[in-house]
Amino acid sequence: MTRTKQRGATAHTSQPSRSTARSMMVAGMLAGAAFLPALAHAQSAPATPAAEVAQPGAAPDIVVTAQRREQKLKDVGIAITVLSKEDIRALNITTATDVVRAIPNLRFNAYAASQVVFNMRGVAQNSYGDEQEPPVAVYQDDSYSSSMSTAGFPIFDLARAEALRGPQGTLFGRNATGGAIQFISTQPTDKTAGFLSLTYGRFNETIVEGALQGRLAKDLDVRVSGIYDRDDGYIKNLVPGQYNRGQNNHWALRSIFKWTPSSDFTAKLTLRYTESDHERQVAGYALDPSCPNAQFQGESLPANQVCGYWAAYSGNTPGAMGTGFDGVINGKSIVPARGGSPWQIAATGNPGIDRQFFGSTLRIDAKLGAFDVTSVTDYQYLNKFNNEIGDSQPEFAYVQGATYTPGPCPGIASITCYAPGTIFNQNNRTNQVSEELRAATTIGSNYLVFGAFAMSIESHFRAQYATPFDQYDPQVVFYQQTKSFAFFAQDEFKVNDQWKLILGARYWHDHKIGCYTGHEYWSGFNVRYCPDTVGFSYDAAPPFPGGAATTASTGGMITATTADTHPSFSGLTVRAEIDYKPSANTLIYASYNRGSKSGGFSFSTGTPAALAVYDTINGIKFNPEVLNDFEVGIKTSLPGHSSLNIVGYYYDYHNYQAFVQVGYTQEIRNLQAKAKGIEAEFSTHPIVGLTVNLTGSWEESHVPNVLLPDGATLVQHDLPQAPHWSGNALVRYEFPLAGGMASVQADSMYQSHMCFTLLCAPVEQEAAYHVENMRIGFTPKDTNVDLAVYVNNIFERAYRNYAYDGSLYSGATQSLYARPRTWGVNVRYHF
């Protein structure tokens, strides 16, 4: 999310049309439900005897598809963490971002479920512009999520989740610089089976999940599953009559049809639909008054200090934000830095997210002579409207062009309302089509995979980042089209039973077109960056006029040209690896992986002014980044049903896509960066029923020549969200009880100090923290019912998932705190 403004409406608050998405949804639902009559008379499987219920023992070999085929985890020379369906259920994982609780060196940054960026080993993208593709590739089965708006989705009915750390530029390819995360659904079989799960918890959280599968016709199996998740919100609003925030309100469906007419041919159609209906996860910020320091970076503002930068707007009120609000309502502080609760706000307005997503994937696997051929055809449609109204404080309703004087809130005379602090919204309509065709064959001691990939993404955006209280009110509209193709090949040459050599390469090519227009209401400023015109003008009547643009009104020079609005990018990614197996239970590997992420545009949600015009326009286009990764690792089985995986890595970046800020202008600039680290994973089952999983990581990173917002100071910082130390621990014990099976589980995660952004403003630094969770489960004898109770964040640690230095824009730091202590009960019936 780039926010650019000048010192000195919701631009489009109508809800986007849902007709297209809803018609697709209905089609998918009807298709998925078509088999229900055929199963209506099927008998449920008999109750599972207690002796057969989850009898604990040594963990079986874990199967992964990290190299586009099924292999044992211990035989793959890649740093991989796998969560089984049992792990996912035991850890209460219901959204894609929950997986960070169990995967080393994986974090996420999100101000809402509709805008999620995964961070792996510090590789991330801190720009929240909807036009950006994340550097950690996220897959739902075979479907690649090109948008940050689709990277966070409900988790339900999964077979497993795989996290591949490090560049995966050969077989996965597309923007997998930091790695890839695969969420793999439970697949249908001919056996009639299913489950229904009900969860109720704190904040009236209600989650309903279920699945049903069986044979629809000869050789045709189907599985339909879904989830509904709603609660009242965990961020309490102290203003009478106003909604709480941080609320889930979404549902999703998935249908998988699998046709297997012969052992040499399988066709599988997967239909997915997700909808959020005014989900109040946005604008749930804890606000800390902050003041720009000498480098224009935010520092917390004490209650007795006046911020000179905002004095004109705060009326010289000590401790106030730019709008004059002092952070106290009804005698309660909502400023965490002053002892207030991070889970309380005092806000008016009704912000929310409306999101509709439809996906359709057709996968065909066929045996053609000596080749195993796979075709994956994927289509995705996204319609998202994200609307943040206000700064989490009492404010008057926004009216474009209005002036405001603090006074009683309409209908709430006991509360003082202020001018609207921030208006932020994003509208994204995206269509994505892709095709991958690959073949695999064994030739002597070689296992060869080769293929081609093509994708088209077309997106239309509207956005606004306005601060009406200081008369800054822009509206922007932009368009982006990406057409991409790639060719790849990888060969595994088995020298003998101990040695294996892997070589792979991928050539990719992107052609992008961008068109961006913006208009600021008060100044009449217009900017255009399109194939027909690059420039700006001052004209009180938008839209931006065609033809030549004014570039001399404020001095400076525009170096960007119309050719920059439709660039082409190409690159070559490679993989070279040597595997050595001194025994059947040990793998030692050394690899070189070269990953890359395409170039693109950094389109602001606001408009610049003065000399920032030139920095903004000239800095819109950025080049591809390349990451050279050198790794050595060992995977070994130990006595006592134990395993140990250790990997060391060294990262050397070229043209790292750094999200930086120069004055009021935020953009992506290409810098250099380096990182190195060690990761370890240990798992043991020393006695029947006991599982202990431990992970730990150390990382050191450096990004030199980071230009701070003052436009003059250069510093060296760590990669964003890259703590030096982090780790996870889980202990689970399963044992017979009262004829059934009981389980007790505790897990914990820890990370040391880190910064949310590369700029690392004082207010964007997060201190070290640890979080603990617990779950107790029981399966009664001779039943198909599983019972569980859980508590998450037992000690109610206050830690942030997101922090944004808004000191230059609204005089406050916006922080989104993770959920406080939550508890719940779960009942699951399966047959």
Side-chain angles (χ1 to χ4, degrees), residues 15 69-70 154 199 209 271 287 368 432 456 481 505 696 702 770 821 828:
Q15 300 299 318
R69 63 183 174 121
E70 291 190 350
T199 300
E209 180 185 351
L271 302 174
L287 295 187
L368 298 178
Q432 174 185 320
S456 174
Q481 181 187 77
H702 304 287
H770 54 91
R821 181 188 303 111
R828 180 185 176 96

Side-chain angles (χ1 to χ4, degrees), residues 231-485:
D231 59 58
D232 292 340
Y234 69 94
I235 302 173
K236 182 176 177 57
N237 198 336
L238 300 178
V239 176
Q242 298 298 304
Y243 292 104
N244 292 343
R245 298 184 182 175
Q247 173 218 41
N248 288 316
N249 186 28
H250 58 256
W251 56 274
L253 290 173
R254 179 171 60 239
S255 297
I256 304 177
F257 300 87
K258 184 178 180 181
W259 183 47
T260 312
S262 73
S263 60
D264 292 337
F265 183 90
T266 300
K268 184 174 63 178
L269 175 64
T270 302
L271 302 174
R272 293 173 288 133
Y273 183 80
T274 301
E275 179 168 321
S276 301
D277 187 9
H278 204 71
E279 194 167 46
R280 295 187 182 88
Q281 291 186 352
V282 296
Y285 302 118
L287 295 187
D288 284 307
S290 53
C291 187
N293 60 18
Q295 288 75 43
F296 278 7
Q297 293 193 286
E299 295 182 335
S300 293
L301 190 65
N304 61 352
Q305 179 180 328
V306 174
C307 177
Y309 182 90
W310 286 106
Y313 295 98
S314 65
N316 290 318
T317 302
M321 293 183 284
T323 54
F325 182 51
D326 62 4
V328 177
I329 183 170
N330 296 333
K332 297 181 180 179
S333 173
I334 61 168
V335 177
R338 300 177 192 167
S341 170
W343 302 293
Q344 288 185 166
I345 60 170
T348 53
N350 190 20
I353 302 168
D354 292 276
R355 179 171 57 158
Q356 303 88 39
F357 170 82
F358 173 78
S360 175
T361 307
L362 176 62
R363 171 171 174 154
I364 298 175
D365 292 280
K367 182 78 171 179
L368 298 178
F371 295 94
D372 295 316
V373 178
T374 300
S375 169
V376 179
T377 306
D378 184 63
Y379 169 74
Q380 298 179 35
Y381 170 80
L382 170 69
N383 183 15
K384 183 203 78 173
F385 183 65
N386 176 89
N387 191 22
E388 296 189 16
I389 303 174
D391 267 341
S392 299
Q393 62 185 25
E395 297 174 355
F396 291 108
Y398 165 72
V399 178
Q400 189 175 58
T403 56
Y404 305 89
T405 301
C409 292
I412 320 174
S414 61
I415 303 296
T416 300
C417 269
Y418 301 88
T422 302
I423 304 296
F424 174 62
N425 56 66
Q426 295 171 298
N427 191 182
N428 177 0
R429 292 171 181 258
T430 294
N431 284 277
Q432 174 185 320
V433 181
S434 65
E435 169 65 33
E436 179 171 323
L437 184 65
R438 64 178 182 267
T441 187
T442 299
I443 304 175
S445 298
N446 297 274
Y447 181 79
L448 177 65
V449 180
F450 60 93
F453 174 82
M455 182 172 67
S456 174
I457 308 172
E458 185 170 340
S459 302
H460 297 263
F461 309 95
R462 299 179 69 92
Q464 180 183 35
Y465 182 79
T467 52
F469 74 94
D470 65 349
Q471 297 187 340
Y472 172 69
D473 199 344
Q475 301 178 36
V476 301
V477 179
F478 50 104
Y479 164 85
Q480 180 170 286
Q481 181 187 77
T482 299
K483 292 188 179 296
S484 177
F485 68 83

Side-chain angles (χ1 to χ4, degrees), residues 470-727:
D470 65 349
Q471 297 187 340
Y472 172 69
D473 199 344
Q475 301 178 36
V476 301
V477 179
F478 50 104
Y479 164 85
Q480 180 170 286
Q481 181 187 77
T482 299
K483 292 188 179 296
S484 177
F485 68 83
F487 300 99
F488 59 90
Q490 179 171 294
D491 181 54
E492 297 183 26
F493 175 61
K494 188 174 182 180
V495 180
N496 53 40
D497 290 340
Q498 291 184 313
W499 293 91
K500 181 191 292 184
L501 176 64
I502 302 175
L503 296 173
R506 185 184 190 103
Y507 171 79
W508 61 268
H509 177 86
D510 280 7
H511 178 68
K512 295 193 174 186
I513 299 175
C515 183
Y516 170 87
T517 61
H519 172 74
E520 201 283 310
Y521 174 83
W522 293 95
S523 65
F525 176 82
N526 294 274
V527 62
R528 185 173 177 87
Y529 184 93
C530 292
D532 62 343
T533 304
V534 172
F536 67 93
S537 71
Y538 287 88
D539 185 346
F544 183 88
T550 301
T551 60
S553 58
T554 60
M557 179 179 295
I558 292 179
T559 58
T561 68
T562 55
D564 292 324
T565 68
H566 51 93
S568 292
F569 305 105
S570 300
L572 181 69
T573 58
V574 297
R575 182 184 181 196
E577 178 177 323
I578 297 176
D579 290 353
Y580 171 58
K581 298 198 71 172
S583 68
N585 295 323
T586 300
L587 170 67
I588 301 173
Y589 62 93
S591 66
Y592 165 71
N593 294 280
R594 176 186 175 96
S596 65
K597 182 176 182 290
S598 182
F601 309 108
S602 186
F603 291 139
S604 174
T605 56
T607 57
L611 292 179
V613 170
Y614 304 102
D615 280 332
T616 301
I617 294 177
N618 295 334
I620 287 178
K621 174 177 167 283
F622 56 87
N623 293 321
E625 70 178 15
V626 175
L627 175 56
N628 296 297
D629 169 35
F630 304 86
E631 297 198 16
V632 292
I634 182 171
K635 297 183 176 183
T636 185
S637 298
L638 302 173
H641 304 297
S642 303
S643 63
L644 176 65
N645 303 331
I646 301 176
V647 62
Y649 61 90
Y650 175 77
Y651 280 0
D652 186 3
Y653 263 109
H654 177 66
N655 278 341
Y656 166 62
Q657 292 173 2
F659 185 59
V660 299
Q661 178 175 318
V662 181
Y664 300 105
T665 299
Q666 294 181 327
E667 59 191 33
I668 295 174
R669 291 189 173 183
N670 293 109
L671 300 177
Q672 305 305 308
K674 297 183 187 297
K676 57 186 176 182
I678 299 174
E679 297 167 344
E681 297 178 275
F682 174 73
S683 179
T684 184
H685 306 269
I687 61 174
V688 173
L690 179 62
T691 298
V692 179
N693 294 330
L694 302 173
T695 71
S697 64
W698 168 84
E699 181 175 77
E700 183 178 283
S701 60
H702 304 287
V703 184
N705 299 317
V706 177
L707 184 64
L708 297 185
D710 62 358
T713 304
L714 291 172
V715 296
Q716 177 174 284
H717 280 164
D718 292 344
L719 289 168
Q721 287 187 283
H724 287 208
W725 297 96
S726 62

